[in-house]
Amino acid sequence: MSIRPRTPTLHFQLPLLAAIAFIGGCIPSANISAPPPFETEELDSVLAVSVDLSGSFANRFSEQAYPLLLDVTDRFFRTGMGQDNRVVLSQMSGNSRVVLFDGTASELRSRFASPEELAGFLRSKSQPERSPIFDATRETIDYVVGIDGIGDRTRVLTVILSDMRESESDQSKRTTQGRKMLESLKRYREQGGAIACYCVDQNETQRWRRIFDLAGFDPGYSLISNDLVENPTLPTFD
């Protein structure tokens, strides 16, 4: 698959109002589909959502993060064209398996009927004592970049629900992991991807703005929010 740069057409203007239409849960990781061996038609939309269930953030999932996750998914697919979509769900705790689900929006919503069910599934796949944010972000982004069917017209968005505080204490390892993540973000951006981070710790805001700047995200292609607020802004495509 060739990766070609695109002219930025992304901006922030639409509030998120709708909810609970597309995500109702997720399918066990064993059901992640393998990429087809032959050419496929170009996808209309790809949305990746990465959830951090480590530390105190885990307690905010059902009441705040889950509704926001629903809002983001609903808005993204309702404002897009076409029906060929993919949803990727990943987690950002210490578990070695990052990507938990890959399928259509309708497959995702059919699995769970409540935030408690989805939260329970995510917690069962998480190790909340660690938050390897750099590695989890890289693995999620690399997975998205490798999805078959992404073309020049595919809308690609990654949403991260996390305080974005890296748990690795070894400075040398942190630097290595951060550099690898940065290279992945550059490839993702070259493919036309956008990224939005919600509930970012105030002390991490400048770090991540610098990271996204170094990765080459144009204005409108990245968003950092410090709160899980009602009706947050979201990147939208013209």
Side-chain angles (χ1 to χ4, degrees):
M1 175 183 65
S2 61
I3 298 177
R4 295 185 291 274
R6 289 190 290 183
T7 302
T9 58
L10 194 61
H11 54 88
F12 299 98
Q13 67 176 14
L14 290 179
L16 292 175
L17 299 174
I20 316 184
F22 285 97
I23 292 187
C26 74
I27 293 172
S29 57
N31 288 348
I32 293 177
S33 57
F38 306 109
E39 286 191 22
T40 59
E41 292 188 13
E42 186 172 319
L43 293 166
D44 296 306
S45 304
V46 174
L47 172 66
V49 179
S50 191
V51 182
D52 182 1
L53 286 178
S54 62
S56 60
F57 190 80
N59 299 325
R60 304 177 64 183
F61 181 81
S62 294
E63 293 186 2
Q64 293 179 289
Y66 180 79
L68 176 60
L69 185 151
L70 298 174
D71 271 355
V72 167
T73 306
D74 182 67
R75 171 66 67 180
F76 183 72
F77 288 117
R78 285 200 304 110
T79 58
M81 300 295 291
Q83 301 297 319
D84 294 327
N85 62 68
R86 290 274 287 278
V87 178
V88 174
L89 183 66
S90 67
Q91 59 85 25
M92 308 189 80
S93 79
N95 196 320
S96 60
R97 190 177 189 94
V98 173
V99 176
L100 303 177
F101 170 85
D102 177 352
T104 66
S106 60
E107 289 171 343
L108 190 59
R109 72 176 181 229
S110 69
R111 179 60 177 87
F112 289 127
S114 71
E116 290 75 22
E117 290 184 54
L118 178 56
F121 173 79
L122 291 172
R123 290 191 181 102
S124 73
K125 304 298 181 181
S126 302
Q127 294 180 3
E129 68 277 4
R130 294 182 59 236
S131 301
I133 301 300
F134 292 165
D135 279 348
T137 299
R138 174 182 55 79
E139 290 190 40
T140 300
I141 292 297
D142 285 348
Y143 189 92
V144 172
V145 169
I147 289 178
D148 215 25
I150 292 180
D152 289 342
R153 293 182 297 276
T154 306
R155 301 160 64 247
V156 182
L157 173 63
T158 296
V159 171
I160 299 177
L161 306 179
S162 171
D163 58 20
M164 303 304 284
R165 290 185 293 182
E166 171 62 48
S167 64
E168 178 57 63
S169 59
D170 186 292
Q171 186 58 54
S172 178
K173 290 182 179 179
R174 283 172 62 101
T175 299
T176 298
Q177 293 166 354
R179 287 174 177 169
K180 289 181 178 179
M181 178 193 66
L182 181 59
E183 292 306 309
S184 293
L185 285 168
K186 289 178 180 178
R187 289 191 293 271
Y188 173 77
R189 179 63 200 102
E190 290 170 357
Q191 189 165 311
I195 189 166
C197 302
Y198 297 97
C199 204
V200 179
D201 188 283
Q202 290 280 357
N203 294 327
E204 295 294 326
T205 300
Q206 291 302 319
R207 181 201 307 275
W208 284 94
R209 284 177 179 165
R210 179 61 175 160
I211 288 172
F212 293 154
D213 182 60
L214 290 172
F217 285 92
D218 297 304
Y221 271 86
S222 65
L223 168 67
I224 296 175
S225 175
N226 301 118
D227 299 303
L228 291 174
V229 298
E230 189 176 351
N231 301 333
T233 54
L234 178 75
T236 57
F237 293 78
D238 288 330

